[in-house]
Amino acid sequence: MAVSSSGAVHPFLRRRFNFNLKHQFKMCLHLKFSSCPYSELRVGSALLTEDGQIFSGCNVENACFYLSLCAERTAINKAVSEGHRKLKAIAVSSDLEDRVIPPCGACRQVIREFGDIPVFMTKVDGSYTMMTLEELLPLSWGAEYLRKQEMDSPKRN
Ligand SMILES: O=c1ccn([C@H]2C[C@H](O)[C@@H](CO)O2)c(=O)[nH]1
Ligand SMILES: [Zn+2]
């Protein structure tokens, strides 16, 4: 079920994740590094890893539009490329004042690779709506549909 808040740390988070949302939001402010000359929509993301580290990201757009990368995937790629595959939660923020910002379909699929984690969709005033990845992307495609033996094989290319 979706959880909304006016900015305080939600009890759900404190219980399940021992997670300081304010700190996470601070990291989300990395939307100031956003490179978005085409959409002019600054987006930031922050994710929490199992061992308590936070990685931030922003959207990085390209003149060849479809090469642009969303903030969430920037953050995920940073974390994974530094050896952090166990993700606990992810947040996404933007300049939008009147609405929370939801991850696009591509990002939902990429987040899905790392489990059914909570996704915090925030507004500039610090309020947020939290939904789990399963709620955002029900009946989703994942590694369990692939041939496991092949996936586990150390010899695969
Ligand atoms: O959750 C979202 C939604 C949109 N964007 C970016 C992609 C693009 O740069 C801009 C406009 O779609 O917003 C993100 O980074 N994350
Ligand atoms: Zn996206």
Side-chain angles (χ1 to χ4, degrees), residues 70 72-73 103-107:
C70 295
E72 301 93 310
R73 279 178 286 154
C104 75
C107 287

Side-chain angles (χ1 to χ4, degrees), residues 26-105:
K26 232 193 262 173
M27 298 306 287
C28 279
L29 296 180
H30 277 242
L31 65 87
K32 73 180 175 212
F33 296 132
S34 162
S35 179
C36 54
Y38 308 107
S39 73
E40 296 185 345
L41 176 65
R42 300 191 310 160
V43 184
S45 179
L47 65 80
L48 179 73
T49 64
E50 190 72 27
D51 61 0
Q53 290 197 52
I54 290 179
F55 289 83
S56 64
C58 64
N59 55 336
V60 183
E61 297 184 348
N62 192 281
C64 185
F65 296 160
Y66 66 81
L67 295 182
S68 300
L69 194 62
C70 295
E72 301 93 310
R73 279 178 286 154
T74 303
I76 288 173
N77 290 345
K78 281 170 68 178
V80 173
S81 63
E82 293 190 22
H84 300 273
R85 295 187 55 84
K86 290 188 175 160
L87 311 187
K88 242 180 170 179
I90 188 163
V92 54
S93 62
S94 79
D95 287 322
L96 297 176
E97 287 181 6
D98 58 334
R99 64 190 70 187
V100 297
I101 179 157
C104 75

Side-chain angles (χ1 to χ4, degrees), residues 1-17:
M1 189 177 62
V3 176
S4 293
S5 151
S6 54
V9 178
H10 194 276
F12 172 82
L13 282 174
R14 235 181 279 126
R15 272 200 313 276
R16 203 170 144 196
F17 300 103

